[in-house]
Amino acid sequence: DYEGLLLDICNKRLEKVIKNEEFKNKFTIKDLLGEYKVEDEIDYLVDSQPEYIKTIRKSIKEEICEIVDSEKDRESFSILYEPDDILTLYLNLVLLRRRNKSTPLVPLEYKKYQNGNSPKYAQWLHTNKNAIVYLIAKENRKRKQYYGFSTFKMLSSGITRYFLELCENALRDALRNGFSYENPRQLSNKEQTSAARYVSRYRLNDIDTYTPYSSRLRRFVVLMGNIFNRLHLDPNISEPERNHFQTDFDNLDEGTKSFLQSAELWSVFQKRAETKDKDNSIDSDEYEYHLNHIYSPYFEISMRKQRKLKIKSEDLKTLIFAENEIAEKTANHLTSRYVNSNTKYGKQLNLSEFWKI
């Protein structure tokens, strides 16, 4: 399997450079990179947790006042602003913001969860916790981190060369900071994140050399990357971590199909079997197009395979072939349903901002 291949290649390389018998054959690539933890990232993103917790609680109380009429019912909802941890608090805020048929159930499910008896709330937490990180980062004016063995594996999108580039650049950074093979240590989150951003950036620049579509392909990646970035900032997390799209392939014209085939050939997008969901409004031939995850750090989006965006064939053609102004308008329309451009989460997409990458 792919993970086994990575472990085999990297651990053999480490064996050659680590001479200290205490670490030789014991210090692996997983030891070098460690693993990502949502809780650790939240600690990094939030400088003053007590103040931020107050801010979230205030927002929860405001939501309760807007959606619950009676004082008695509001009292039952008060349990939602009692947690002391940011992740749970923020999830409660998101669940209230959605204002759907599950909203009245949130206090009860959270109470059951506290007693270890709510699979529904546990699922809400599992599904949304990584998506919440992007909102917390935005609100605290920090950038998402990319570190850990599993993260680097996902970023590499099944391409061994990309994984090695990520590791090599992280090690190069670490060596400048005093890392020694005689006494190896885990690479810091900062060192790994810096490497991920560097590799992501230069791989994005490389697209200009991918014939025959080169600059047009790069423009499409910039559009899609920024569409996904804006969708990550949907305050309701309507669909968590969207980073791939699905379209009605049978209705695409030959030019668009040729473009997608070229994007797939260069692994800029990777075509995979469609993940079924509840909404079958677009009946495609069961394929999705995943933006190569190596570009995720540049656009500050997820490298996990989660939810998709459905794009009509005519909109896809516009994003690929239309003039900048028309393509921008279509891109902004695709996100406006989820992210209001007049809020702190939204920003109109302007391609001119991205040509000097």
Side-chain angles (χ1 to χ4, degrees):
D1 66 334
Y2 182 57
E3 179 172 326
L5 175 65
L6 296 178
L7 292 172
D8 187 50
I9 293 172
C10 294
N11 289 340
K12 283 180 179 176
R13 291 190 178 192
L14 285 173
E15 286 173 17
K16 290 180 180 178
V17 293
I18 296 177
K19 306 298 182 184
N20 188 330
E21 291 299 324
E22 182 183 349
F23 297 101
K24 197 172 180 64
N25 301 321
K26 297 175 184 176
F27 194 81
T28 69
I29 190 64
K30 285 191 172 183
D31 296 317
L32 191 72
L33 299 177
E35 282 295 356
Y36 172 83
K37 292 182 181 177
V38 168
E39 294 76 14
D40 290 346
E41 175 139 47
I42 290 174
D43 287 342
Y44 158 76
L45 292 173
V46 183
D47 292 326
S48 176
Q49 296 211 7
E51 287 303 311
Y52 192 52
I53 285 172
K54 284 182 186 177
T55 301
I56 302 171
R57 282 178 174 157
K58 181 173 180 288
S59 296
I60 291 174
K61 290 175 183 178
E62 289 171 353
E63 289 292 329
I64 291 171
C65 286
E66 286 191 27
I67 62 179
V68 182
D69 293 328
S70 74
E71 196 66 38
K72 184 179 178 182
D73 288 338
R74 286 178 188 171
E75 211 171 292
S76 69
F77 273 74
S78 66
I79 191 174
L80 299 180
Y81 53 77
E82 290 176 359
D84 291 321
D85 70 289
I86 289 173
L87 190 58
T88 308
L89 263 179
Y90 209 108
L91 175 62
N92 290 343
L93 175 59
V94 168
L95 294 173
L96 290 175
R97 280 174 178 165
R98 289 177 180 171
R99 303 191 186 188
N100 56 25
K101 63 183 181 181
S102 295
T103 303
L105 304 175
V106 176
L108 176 61
E109 291 298 333
Y110 177 62
K111 189 170 185 177
K112 286 160 63 179
Y113 175 76
Q114 285 182 309
N115 297 324
N117 190 31
S118 176
K120 182 185 285 290
Y121 192 93
Q123 184 60 42
W124 285 336
L125 185 60
H126 174 76
T127 302
N128 293 285
K129 67 178 182 179
N130 285 284
I132 285 170
V133 168
Y134 295 90
L135 295 174
I136 292 175
K138 176 72 173 179
E139 291 178 357
N140 288 274
R141 299 181 181 180
K142 294 279 188 73
R143 297 182 69 186
K144 174 81 176 68
Q145 291 187 310
Y146 295 86
Y147 65 88
F149 176 81
S150 295
T151 298
F152 273 23
K153 183 181 75 172
M154 286 185 280
L155 287 175
S156 69
S157 294
I159 301 173
T160 307
R161 180 175 70 257
Y162 288 0
F163 184 86
L164 295 177
E165 286 177 357
L166 291 165
C167 293
E168 287 165 2
N169 279 279
L171 273 167
R172 191 174 295 125
D173 216 17
L175 287 166
R176 294 192 200 103
N177 297 330
F179 178 89
S180 168
Y181 289 111
E182 290 299 312
N183 188 27
R185 60 166 171 82
Q186 183 175 308
L187 304 186
S188 71
N189 299 347
K190 183 179 179 180
E191 288 162 347
Q192 294 183 55
T193 299
S194 176
R197 289 180 183 147
Y198 172 77
V199 174
S200 185
R201 188 186 188 94
Y202 90 71
R203 281 292 167 191
L204 182 61
N205 284 332
D206 267 358
I207 297 174
D208 274 335
T209 68
Y210 297 169
T211 58
Y213 294 100
S214 49
S215 60
R216 186 173 296 282
L217 179 56
R218 182 165 171 260
R219 189 194 77 163
F220 181 61
V221 169
V222 168
L223 277 168
M224 293 308 304
N226 281 279
I227 286 170
F228 292 140
N229 172 270
R230 288 191 68 196
L231 292 174
H232 276 55
L233 301 180
D234 170 10
N236 298 342
I237 313 182
S238 308
E239 296 285 350
E241 302 174 79
R242 280 187 281 196
N243 57 10
H244 56 286
F245 72 88
Q246 179 239 332
T247 191
D248 186 352
F249 190 84
D250 295 335
N251 282 343
L252 297 177
D253 62 23
E254 290 307 311
T256 305
K257 287 181 180 178
S258 173
F259 180 91
L260 291 176
Q261 286 166 357
S262 180
E264 186 186 353
L265 177 67
W266 288 104
S267 288
V268 173
F269 282 85
Q270 296 176 321
K271 188 164 77 170
R272 300 176 185 171
E274 182 188 8
T275 303
K276 298 294 184 183
D277 62 18
K278 297 175 185 176
D279 183 3
N280 294 313
S281 59
I282 296 179
D283 183 19
S284 79
D285 64 351
E286 301 185 347
Y287 288 109
E288 300 168 344
Y289 289 87
H290 291 247
L291 180 62
N292 193 303
H293 297 153
I294 199 64
Y295 307 121
S296 295
Y298 180 81
F299 296 110
E300 296 191 38
I301 60 177
S302 175
M303 63 281 149
R304 287 154 33 92
K305 184 183 177 183
Q306 294 298 306
R307 303 298 173 83
K308 64 193 170 197
L309 174 67
K310 295 184 177 181
I311 303 178
K312 293 177 181 178
S313 55
E314 59 267 28
D315 287 338
L316 185 61
K317 182 179 179 179
T318 300
L319 291 171
I320 295 170
F321 294 112
E323 295 298 319
N324 284 357
E325 186 178 347
I326 299 172
E328 287 168 5
K329 186 177 179 180
T330 299
N332 286 317
H333 175 71
L334 286 171
T335 61
S336 61
R337 174 184 170 189
Y338 306 98
V339 185
N340 187 330
S341 62
N342 295 320
T343 71
K344 62 184 174 181
Y345 300 101
K347 181 182 177 183
Q348 289 289 303
L349 185 61
N350 186 340
L351 278 170
S352 62
E353 298 177 14
F354 300 101
W355 293 131
K356 296 179 181 178
I357 298 173

